[in-house]
Amino acid sequence: AAACAADEKVTDLNLQRSAAIDDRDSKFVAFRDLTTRLRSLVRGAYGPDSTQYAKVGGTRKSERKPRARKAKA
């Protein structure tokens, strides 16, 4: 009887843990979406090579590496 009660307690705690993890993950996703929207707004207002865009975490266009050309065969 004691083992069954302990097993039920562990199962209940695992469910609570899973619910807390899901809640945390959904909040991170919402925050990431909001951050992306903010960067898009700043990029549209000031341009992709602006210092304002860099300040909100975007990579300025001038700081990106140019694409390497493929060698012709």
Side-chain angles (χ1 to χ4, degrees):
C4 288
D7 189 45
E8 285 182 25
K9 184 177 180 181
V10 168
T11 302
D12 184 49
L13 290 173
N14 279 335
L15 288 173
Q16 290 178 13
R17 180 178 177 270
S18 294
I21 289 172
D22 289 344
D23 184 45
R24 178 201 62 189
D25 291 348
S26 67
K27 287 180 181 177
F28 276 133
V29 168
F31 180 71
R32 191 174 353 135
D33 290 344
L34 188 64
T35 303
T36 301
R37 292 178 67 186
L38 174 68
R39 284 188 189 142
S40 294
L41 183 121
V42 171
R43 183 181 173 132
Y46 296 103
D49 200 36
S50 66
T51 56
Q52 292 86 352
Y53 184 60
K55 285 181 182 178
V56 295
T59 303
R60 294 177 65 178
K61 188 174 181 181
S62 60
E63 293 174 356
R64 292 191 180 273
K65 289 175 70 175
R67 292 181 66 173
R69 293 184 175 219
K70 293 183 180 180
K72 291 188 176 182

